[in-house]
Amino acid sequence: MTEYLLLLMSTAVVNNVILVKFLGLCPFLGVSKKIDAAIGMGLATTFVLTLASVATWMLDHWLLVPLDLGYLRIVGFIVVIAAAVQFVEMAIKKSSPQLYQVLGIYLPLITTNCAVLGVALLNVQNGADFLHATLYGFGSATGFTLVLILFAGIRERLALAAVPKAFAGAPISLITAGLLSLAFMGFSGLNLT
Amino acid sequence: MLAVATLPAWLQRSLIRWGVHPDDHKRPVADLPVERLPLPARLFLPLQQHVGAPARPVVKIGDPVLKGQLLAESAANISAPVHASTSGRIVDITTYPAPHPSGLEQPVMVLEPDGEDRWIDTSPPTDPFSLPPAEIGRIVSAAGVVGMGGATFPSAVKLALGLRVQVEILIVNGGECEPYLSCDDRLMRDDAEGVVDGIRLALHAIGAQEARVGIENNKPEAIAAMQQAAAPFPEVRIMPVPAQYPMGSDKQLIQVLTGREVPFDGRAADAGVLVHNVGTCHAIHQAVRLGRPLVERLVTVSGGAVERPRNLVAPIGATAQDLFDYCGGLASAPARVIMGGPMMGNPLATTASPVIKGTSGLLALTQEEVGEDDRAGPCIRCASCVSACPMNLLPLEMAAHIRSDDPDGAFHLGLNDCIGCGCCSYVCPSAIPLSHYFSYAKGALAANERSKLKSESIKKLTAARLERQEREAREKAEAAARRKAEREAAKARAAAQANAVTTKAATVDANA
Amino acid sequence: MLAAVTSLTVLGAALGLGLGIAARRFHVEPEEIVAELEALLPGSQCGQCGFPGCAGAAQALADGKAPVTLCPPGGKSVAQALAEKLGVSADLSALGESVPMFATVREELCIGCTKCFKACPTDAIHGAVKQIHAVLKEACTGCAKCVDSCPTEAVGLVPVPATLTTWTWHKPGHA
Amino acid sequence: MSTLPHPNHAPHAHSGVKVSRIMATVMLALTPATLFGFTLFGWPSILLWLVTVGACLVLEVACLRLAGRGGPKTLWDGSALLAGWLLAMTLPPFAPWWIGVLGAVATIVVAKHAYGGLGQNPFNPAMVGRVALLISFPLPMTTWVQPAPLFAAGSPSLIDSLHIIFSGTAVPDALTSATLLGHVKTEATRGVDALHAVMSLGADGSGLGWHAGSLGETGSLLVLAGGLFLLARRIITWHIPTSLLAGLALPAAIGHAVAPELYLSAGAHLTAGAAMLGAFFIATDLVTSPATSAGRLIFGFGCGLLTWVIRTFAGFPEGLAFAVLLMNAGVPLIDRYTRPRIYGHGQPAKAG
C-alpha cells in the first residue's frame, strides 16, 4: 500500500511530468489561459493518460512482446492512443456539450500530447507490471493536472498585470514555468522511507 | 443573525469587521448654533431633485407665487413635486448647471423673491393619527418629501411600499457617518421632538410596530436629546452604534440594528425593514403637522477653505456660492468643492449650482485635507481594501479587471453590489482610485445595457419595416394580380361575347 | 514480417470499427451557429460591414472570414457578445472609443426628396415628400446610409450628446 | 461664481498610509535582527549585505529606466531595498560578492521587473533569488561559519573580510560550521539519528542565536520581536504567521512524538532555519500572498507543512524558500476559491 502511495507521490510531484521530465509542454502552454479550461483539460488528460497506460501496457504485454514485435512499439502505441482520444472526444461531445465547448479544439491536442506517449514508453522502460503502469499513468496525469491548474491560475493573474511589452505573452509564461520548475526542485531527493 | 446594536458597546466595535475611521472633522461646526441664510437675489429650482421622472411645471413665466405654492407637479408613479421656496415671481423657466460633476445643465424654474417670504394658506389635519395610513402617504407625497440623506428617493413611494408589504421595523438613519457633516446631528439636538413625531407618523403610515433609530456614538448630545424626546413612546428605540464609516449606509445600518441583510436582488422591504433618514422624518413631521412642503433644509457648510464654517437653513434653490458667501467666502482657493460628504459626495463643476432637497453639505476642501494628489501607484495586493469593504467584495480584483478593459469580469466579482462608499480608495496605500474605477465600470455596463435595449428595439423596427415592405410588395402584387385578373376577366368576357356571337352565328349557320 | 503486418492491420481494423460504431452512437447534429450569430447582430441590414446584410455577416463570422469587430453600429457590446459566442478573445481596441452617433438633418439644405427616408433601414427618418425630414434619435443606429443618399448633403452624423442620465465617469487615468 | 477644476471622483479624503511607509516600517522591524547578525558575524556579513542591497538598488534603477518609469518616487517606495535586504538575510554571511549580485539579478530582474515591477510578480522575489542561488551554487550557499563577532579575537578583520568577500579567499577552516538543519541532514545520510546529531552539534539554546546560520536564522528571537511589531502596527495580519508556524510545528510535534530519532522536535523546527523570518517577513509579503483571511490561513499552513516535508524528507536541509514559492504558485487559486460571501448573497459570487 505504502509503496503505491509513494509511487503516486513520486510521479505526481517529485518527478513531475511537466516540470521535471518536460513532457506535455504544448498543452501546458496552450490550455493554461483560463482556470476552467485547465481543469477540463487536466481531467480529460488524466482520463486519457490512465486509459492509454492501461491500453498500451496490454498491447505491449499481450501482443508486441509475445510476437517479438518491440520495434513496432511506437507505431502501435500511437495508434492506440489516437483511437482512445478520438473515442473520448466523441463521448464528451455527446454527453457533455459544455465540457466539449470548453475543451474545444484542445481535445485533439491530447493525441499529440507527448506526455501520453512518453508515459506509456517510460512504463515499458521501467518494466512496470499492470498495477504499477496504471498508477504511473494516473500519477503522472495528476501531476500534469496540478501543475496545469497552478499555471493557469498564475496566467489568469498575469493577464491583468502590467507586464512589459517585451515580456508579454509567451516570454513571461516561459519565465513563470521556469520559476515554477525551480520551486518544484525543492522536492528533488524526496525520500519518504 | 446577530443584531450587533443590541449588544454592549464594548462588544460592538470588535464585531464590526468592515469600514474605516476617517477623522470626523465634525466639531466645532456641530456645536455652533444653526443660522438662517438670508434670501438670495434669485433661486434656481430644478424640476428634478429626486430619483424618478422630472416634475411637470404648473406655473408660467411671470406668475407671482407664495412660499410653499406648487410650482411643478409629480409627473409619474416615481416622481416628486417642487414648491416655491419663498414668495416672489417666476422670472424664467430655463436650463441651468446641475449640482453634478459633469456640470451639464438641467431644466429649472428661476424664482425672484419679493422679500416678504409669505406662506401659502396651510390646513394641517388636527389629529393625523386618526387618518388612515394611506392618507399620511398622500400628504407626504403632495409635500414633495424625498430622502434627505442624499438618496432623494420619493419618500411617499417608500411609505406606500412599506404599507403594502407589511414591514415590521422602521429603521431611522441618524448615522451621519460622513466626516464634516453635522446637519442631522444639529437637527436631532435642536428639534428632537419634531424628529420623533415624524418617526411616529411614518410608523403609522406603514403600519409597523417598532422604530429603531441608529445614531453613531460620536454624537452624545443628539443621542441624549433623542432619548428624552422618545421616552414617552416605547415603540421608538434609540440605539447608539459605533462611529464607523459607512454606518450611515442603509444596508450596513440594517445589518447592525437588526442582524438582517438586504438580499442582493431585492430591497430593504424584502428584509422586513424600511429606512428613513432623520431629516426625512423631520420633513414628514413638518408636512403633516404644519402642512408645510419641503422648501428648505439644513446644510453643513464646512471644509478648510471656508472662512466661517457652520450649519445653515437654506431655501432649496439657493446657489452654493450664496452659502459660501454667507459663511465669509472661501479663504483660499479650494482643491475641491463637494456637495455631500468627503467620502461619497460629488464634486461640483461650478459653485453656481443650486442646493437641492438631497444636499446635506457643501464642502470646500484644501489640498491638505484631501491628501496629496498622487498619481496612482501599482497595486501591491495588500488587501486593505478587502478588509475595509463593508460589502465583502474584492476591490483590488475588480479594479484589475476594469483596468484591463474587462468590466464584465468585475461584474461577476460583484460590481453591482458595490455601494460606492469609497472605503477602498480611502485606505489604498497606492492611492488607486478604486471607487472611480467602479463608477466608470458601472457607467460602461449601463451604457452597454442601454445600447442593447436600443439595438433590440431597432431590430423590431427593422423587422416592422421589412414586414411593411413585404406587405406593400404583396399588396402591389395583389393589386397587379387583381388588375390582371380584371383584365383577363374583361378579355374573357369579350371573348365570350365574341364567342357567343360566333356561336350564335354558327347556330345560325347550322340552322341554316 | 507477416506477424507485424497482420497484427497492425488487425489492430487498425478493430480500432477503426470501434470508432466507426462510436461515431454512429455519439452522433451530434452540428449547431446552428449561423442563426445564433445572426440573432446577436443588430439586424438593421445596413451593410456597413461589407457583407450582404446581417445574415451574410453571420455566415462570414461562422466561417472565420470576418473579425468579431465587424459591426460598426453594434459597437463594443455586440463585438463582445459575438466573441463570447465564438469562443475567441476579441481585440476590442480595434474598435477604439467610438462614440455613438446619430443622424441630423440640416433644415436649410433639406429639399424634402425622401431619398434618405427610403434608405433608412430602421425607419428612423420621418417626413413626407416636399417636407423637411426629422430623425428619431431613439431609432437611429448611426449607420450613415442616409448620409450617402442625400443629394444636398443635408444629412450628417453628430455624436449623441451626454445627458444627466447618460453621463458617466471617464476611465481613471484616461481623462 | 467660479468654475472649478476638473472633477475628481470621491472619496475626497485619504488615510495617509502609503506604500513607502509600509516598506519603511517593515525595514525598521528587520533592523534589530540584522544588527545582531552583523555583530555576530562581523565585517564579512556587513560587506555582503551592502553588496546585495546595493546591487538590488542599482538593478532597480536600471530596470525602471528601461521601463520608462524612472521617477524617484517609484524607486524610493523602498520595495527593492526591502527585497535585497530580505535576500541578504538568508545568505551565508561569508559568501562571496558575486553570490549577492547574482541573487540580486534573480530577485530584481527576473522575479520582479520581468513581470512589470512592484505588485505584478506572482513569486516572492527574495525567495526566487535564494532558490536560484541554492540550485546554481550549492557549495557557497551551504558554507556556513561559526559566529565570529566583530572585534573578537580570531574574527576576520576588515581587510581579511574584503579578501573573503571580494577575492575569493577561502573561509578559514577553523571558522566553518554547519547549521542545525544541515547538520542533521548530513548526519542522517551517515546513519546518525536526529537526537545524536543535535547533541553532537552542541545545540545550546539555539533560540539565542549563538550558532552558525544566516542573518535571519541566528536572530530568530529578534525577528519574532520585529514580526510582533509589524502585527501591532497592522502592517501584517496574524493569519499567515500563525498558520505557518502551526503548519510547521504540528507535523514536527507528531513526528517527534512518534519517532524522536528520525524527526526533530517542533521547538527545533521553529527556531532553526528561516522559520521565523519566513513566517513574519517572507510569507507575509503582501504582493505574493492571498488577499482573503481564509486564503491566508490556507497559504500559511501550506507553507509550514511543505517546509517541514522538504526539511525532513527532501534533499535540501532548509525548505522554506521552496515552500513559499510553491504556495505562491497556488495563490491565484486560493484567492479564487476563498472569495468571501458578499453581503446579501447566499453564496460567494460565482467565479468570473
Side-chain angles (χ1 to χ4, degrees):
Chain A
M1 190 62 217
T2 333
E3 192 204 337
Y4 294 122
L5 267 178
L6 286 181
L7 180 71
L8 269 183
M9 270 295 282
S10 141
T11 45
V13 177
V14 184
N15 295 311
N16 187 279
V17 64
I18 295 177
L19 295 177
V20 179
K21 294 204 188 307
F22 305 116
L23 290 171
L25 289 180
C26 3
F28 177 59
L29 292 169
V31 201
S32 54
K33 280 194 186 131
K34 288 260 169 261
I35 293 179
D36 293 323
I39 292 174
M41 184 72 180
L43 292 180
T45 308
T46 307
F47 186 67
V48 171
L49 229 168
T50 316
L51 197 73
S53 296
V54 172
T56 53
W57 187 90
M58 295 194 289
L59 178 72
D60 196 57
H61 277 246
W62 295 343
L63 192 72
L64 301 183
V65 172
L67 296 176
D68 204 19
L69 292 173
Y71 58 90
L72 280 181
R73 193 164 283 135
I74 293 183
V75 181
F77 280 15
I78 288 177
V79 169
V80 168
I81 291 169
V85 172
Q86 280 297 310
F87 184 79
V88 170
E89 185 184 349
M90 284 186 234
I92 290 183
K93 199 171 179 181
K94 178 78 180 177
S95 59
S96 169
Q98 283 102 339
L99 188 61
Y100 186 78
Q101 203 162 27
V102 172
L103 296 177
I105 57 165
Y106 296 117
L107 255 175
L109 253 180
I110 300 180
T111 321
T112 55
N113 184 344
C114 41
V116 181
L117 182 63
V119 166
L121 290 173
L122 280 171
N123 265 330
V124 177
Q125 208 175 64
N126 297 342
D129 64 29
F130 181 77
L131 199 56
H132 271 100
T134 313
L135 280 177
Y136 194 81
F138 181 71
S140 299
T142 313
F144 176 86
T145 308
L146 173 75
V147 172
L148 187 67
I149 295 174
L150 284 178
F151 193 56
I154 298 176
R155 283 189 78 180
E156 269 195 9
R157 183 157 288 180
L158 288 184
L160 303 177
V163 179
K165 259 209 179 107
F167 288 99
I172 199 65
S173 301
L174 289 171
I175 291 177
T176 307
L179 293 180
L180 204 55
S181 183
L182 210 62
F184 267 74
M185 284 193 80
F187 291 118
S188 64
L190 194 75
N191 182 4
L192 292 167
T193 45
Chain B
M1 238 186 67
L2 201 62
V4 173
T6 55
L7 298 171
W10 59 270
L11 250 177
Q12 293 184 5
R13 269 299 303 280
S14 53
L15 284 174
I16 296 175
R17 302 207 152 275
W18 42 256
V20 295
H21 294 276
D23 275 347
D24 77 2
H25 293 285
K26 286 183 192 283
R27 287 160 211 269
V29 180
D31 296 328
L32 298 175
V34 171
E35 291 175 28
R36 181 168 279 277
L37 181 76
L39 280 174
R42 281 192 165 189
L43 296 171
F44 301 87
L45 295 153
L47 294 179
Q48 178 159 33
Q49 309 182 29
H50 49 264
V51 174
R56 193 184 305 122
V58 294
V59 292
K60 297 187 302 296
I61 296 175
D63 283 0
V65 294
L66 291 174
K67 186 174 185 178
Q69 183 180 332
L70 184 71
L71 298 184
E73 64 187 4
S74 167
N77 280 339
I78 299 181
S79 182
V82 176
H83 300 82
S85 306
T86 184
S87 57
R89 206 167 53 87
I90 300 296
V91 292
D92 205 355
I93 300 178
T94 176
T95 60
Y96 191 74
H100 188 267
S102 66
L104 288 171
E105 303 207 332
Q106 71 178 136
V108 295
M109 290 193 172
V110 186
L111 170 60
E112 201 170 72
D114 57 14
E116 290 173 23
D117 208 21
R118 203 146 43 85
W119 272 100
I120 199 165
D121 283 337
T122 55
S123 51
T126 43
D127 180 14
F129 287 99
S130 63
L131 293 174
E135 182 61 14
I136 304 275
R138 204 198 52 75
I139 298 175
V140 170
S141 170
V145 179
V146 301
M148 309 259 292
T152 66
F153 192 82
S155 303
V157 179
K158 262 186 173 179
L159 291 179
L161 174 77
L163 188 61
R164 204 163 62 239
V165 302
Q166 287 296 309
V167 160
E168 299 139 46
I169 303 175
L170 172 69
I171 302 287
V172 180
N173 190 343
E176 198 166 54
C177 55
E178 278 269 15
Y180 293 92
L181 302 189
S182 54
C183 54
D184 287 351
D185 185 9
R186 254 349 294 185
L187 189 65
M188 289 187 283
R189 289 200 220 180
D190 295 344
D191 191 9
E193 282 78 15
V195 175
V196 170
D197 185 62
I199 293 170
R200 293 179 59 235
L201 288 166
L203 273 180
H204 178 58
I206 60 175
Q209 299 308 309
E210 184 190 358
R212 297 186 184 178
V213 187
I215 306 173
E216 278 195 352
N217 60 15
N218 58 0
K219 296 183 261 293
E221 299 90 348
I223 294 173
M226 288 292 286
Q227 271 166 343
Q228 203 186 353
F233 311 109
E235 71 272 25
V236 180
R237 285 172 69 188
I238 310 297
M239 298 172 91
V241 292
Q244 177 117 344
Y245 181 84
M247 187 59 80
S249 148
D250 286 1
K251 291 185 171 179
Q252 276 59 43
L253 194 65
I254 290 171
Q255 189 184 36
V256 169
L257 290 185
T258 67
R260 303 176 190 182
E261 282 185 11
V262 182
F264 72 97
D265 52 355
R267 289 171 294 203
D270 296 321
V273 299
L274 202 66
V275 186
H276 275 301
N277 177 269
V278 286
T280 315
C281 291
H282 191 256
I284 292 173
H285 158 78
Q286 296 252 323
V288 179
R289 292 287 187 177
L290 308 175
R292 293 185 169 179
L294 179 55
V295 294
E296 62 186 25
R297 67 158 296 146
L298 256 172
V299 180
T300 304
V301 184
S302 187
V306 177
E307 193 70 49
R308 296 187 304 124
R310 63 202 51 238
N311 278 299
L312 295 180
V313 174
I316 306 293
T319 65
Q321 192 65 43
D322 293 332
L323 274 74
F324 284 132
D325 285 344
Y326 179 77
C327 292
L330 300 178
S332 52
R336 303 190 195 177
V337 173
I338 295 151
M339 188 169 277
M343 296 298 285
M344 289 184 75
N346 265 329
L348 288 183
T350 160
T351 53
S353 299
V355 164
I356 56 172
K357 292 172 181 176
T359 305
S360 49
L362 280 170
L363 307 179
L365 301 178
T366 60
Q367 195 65 59
E368 201 185 334
E369 291 169 290
V370 173
E372 280 176 59
D373 257 338
D374 268 342
R375 251 193 33 230
C379 171
I380 59 164
R381 304 189 55 82
C382 67
S384 305
C385 51
V386 178
S387 29
C389 181
M391 298 301 287
N392 267 342
L393 298 169
L394 298 173
L396 76 170
E397 305 269 358
M398 283 163 37
H401 278 98
I402 297 166
R403 208 174 57 88
S404 312
D405 284 320
D406 176 22
D408 270 339
F411 173 78
H412 288 298
L413 285 166
L415 178 65
N416 270 6
D417 293 294
C418 168
I419 56 170
C421 66
C423 286
C424 44
S425 304
Y426 176 80
V427 296
C428 180
S430 287
I432 297 171
L434 292 148
S435 321
H436 187 170
Y437 271 111
F438 304 150
S439 292
Y440 156 72
K442 285 175 193 170
L445 287 177
N448 253 358
E449 210 49 44
R450 272 198 302 274
S451 78
K452 221 176 265 172
L453 281 181
K454 184 174 173 180
S455 79
E456 256 159 48
S457 69
I458 283 173
K459 216 178 263 184
K460 269 185 216 144
L461 282 175
T462 315
R465 180 172 190 260
L466 285 177
E467 198 186 311
R468 196 198 67 211
Q469 284 174 338
E470 258 169 44
R471 197 183 58 232
E472 280 170 4
R474 202 171 51 235
E475 278 167 6
K476 220 182 237 172
E478 275 169 12
R482 212 167 36 243
R483 273 198 303 278
K484 197 174 168 200
E486 274 168 19
R487 264 203 314 276
E488 300 262 307
K491 220 187 259 170
R493 259 199 315 279
Q497 265 170 13
N499 228 352
V501 173
T502 25
T503 320
K504 223 185 241 165
T507 324
V508 173
D509 283 350
N511 290 347
Chain C
M1 183 61 196
L2 189 66
V5 172
T6 320
S7 53
L8 266 192
T9 312
V10 171
L11 191 65
L15 290 172
L17 190 67
L19 285 177
I21 294 170
R24 279 279 167 81
R25 247 186 80 70
F26 294 135
H27 183 71
V28 181
E29 287 295 326
E31 279 182 70
E32 299 287 329
I33 189 80
V34 177
E36 282 179 44
L37 288 173
E38 197 186 336
L40 292 174
L41 290 166
S44 53
Q45 324 290 354
C46 71
Q48 278 185 87
C49 53
F51 294 99
C54 293
Q59 186 62 50
L61 278 167
D63 298 343
K65 285 181 195 152
V68 290
T69 50
L70 85 175
C71 181
K76 255 186 188 173
S77 60
V78 165
Q80 263 166 347
L82 291 174
E84 213 167 285
K85 188 91 228 159
L86 289 168
V88 299
S89 53
D91 183 16
L92 295 179
S93 57
L95 274 177
E97 286 300 312
S98 65
V99 246
M101 309 279 270
F102 76 99
T104 50
V105 181
R106 287 169 65 189
E107 296 181 5
E108 68 273 20
L109 293 179
C110 179
I111 52 170
C113 69
T114 75
K115 276 191 175 148
C116 55
F117 185 104
K118 285 171 187 152
C120 179
T122 57
D123 282 348
I125 305 180
H126 284 237
V129 184
K130 301 275 161 94
Q131 271 183 8
I132 287 169
H133 305 327
V135 180
L136 267 181
K137 243 190 272 182
E138 292 71 28
C140 176
T141 61
C143 74
K145 277 202 153 181
C146 48
V147 177
D148 303 333
S149 71
C150 181
T152 60
E153 292 181 6
V155 190
L157 287 185
V158 295
V160 178
T163 66
L164 283 176
T165 42
T166 60
W167 184 88
T168 57
W169 283 94
H170 60 90
K171 190 174 175 184
H174 294 73
Chain D
M1 307 287 163
S2 62
T3 307
L4 300 162
H6 187 74
N8 290 75
H9 195 279
H12 312 281
H14 193 266
S15 64
V17 176
K18 284 185 187 160
V19 172
S20 52
R21 225 166 84 185
I22 294 176
M23 298 290 173
T25 315
V26 177
M27 288 184 237
L28 184 66
L30 264 180
T31 307
T34 315
L35 291 180
F36 176 73
F38 284 166
T39 55
L40 204 59
F41 295 108
W43 288 112
S45 62
I46 298 176
L47 292 173
L48 183 65
W49 186 89
L50 284 174
V51 167
T52 312
V53 169
C56 281
L57 286 178
V58 169
L59 288 168
E60 173 89 359
V61 174
C63 287
L64 285 174
R65 282 272 158 79
L66 271 177
R69 289 186 293 140
K73 188 194 152 200
T74 30
L75 173 63
W76 296 117
D77 62 18
S79 59
L81 180 59
L82 182 61
W85 193 330
L86 284 170
L87 173 65
M89 295 289 283
T90 65
L91 298 178
F94 281 39
W97 64 275
W98 49 267
I99 284 281
V101 172
L102 289 180
V105 171
T107 299
I108 299 295
V109 181
V110 178
K112 188 175 168 194
H113 280 285
Y115 287 95
L118 180 65
Q120 319 297 317
N121 50 304
F123 294 103
N124 186 313
M127 290 304 100
V128 169
R130 181 180 153 71
V131 165
L133 289 173
L134 186 61
I135 287 172
S136 314
F137 313 105
L139 191 64
M141 283 300 286
T142 48
T143 304
W144 304 94
V145 294
Q146 280 181 340
L150 271 181
F151 313 122
S155 304
S157 67
L158 180 55
I159 303 297
D160 297 339
S161 308
L162 284 169
H163 279 296
I164 291 173
I165 300 292
F166 290 103
S167 55
T169 307
V171 179
D173 273 349
L175 281 177
T176 57
S177 175
T179 62
L180 174 71
L181 293 170
H183 184 66
V184 171
K185 187 120 267 170
T186 27
E187 293 294 275
T189 56
R190 288 178 18 201
V192 180
D193 69 44
L195 280 176
H196 290 91
V198 171
M199 275 182 225
S200 66
L201 191 68
D204 45 350
S206 53
L208 295 177
W210 205 265
H211 56 74
S214 63
L215 299 184
E217 179 168 4
T218 49
S220 272
L221 282 183
L222 289 171
V223 169
L224 173 64
L228 294 178
F229 169 72
L230 287 186
L231 271 178
R233 297 300 305 269
R234 292 168 187 264
I235 302 291
I236 58 176
T237 60
W238 58 270
H239 305 86
I240 291 177
T242 317
S243 58
L244 190 150
L245 296 176
L248 182 60
L250 277 181
I254 295 168
H256 190 67
V258 172
E261 71 283 359
L262 283 180
Y263 304 111
L264 279 175
S265 68
H269 269 293
L270 289 183
T271 51
M276 285 297 166
L277 190 70
F280 287 100
F281 290 90
I282 291 169
T284 53
D285 170 41
L286 299 169
V287 178
T288 55
S289 59
T292 63
S293 303
R296 286 174 172 170
L297 287 175
I298 296 170
F299 175 81
F301 195 85
C303 284
L305 186 66
L306 286 174
T307 304
W308 180 79
V309 168
I310 293 172
R311 279 181 180 183
T312 312
F313 302 112
F316 294 97
E318 173 55 309
L320 187 113
F322 292 106
V324 168
L325 291 188
L326 286 167
M327 290 310 290
N328 282 163
V331 165
L333 288 178
I334 296 176
D335 268 344
R336 179 186 167 109
Y337 292 105
T338 58
R339 275 178 202 154
R341 186 188 68 86
I342 298 173
Y343 176 108
H345 285 259
Q347 294 294 318
K350 278 279 179 291

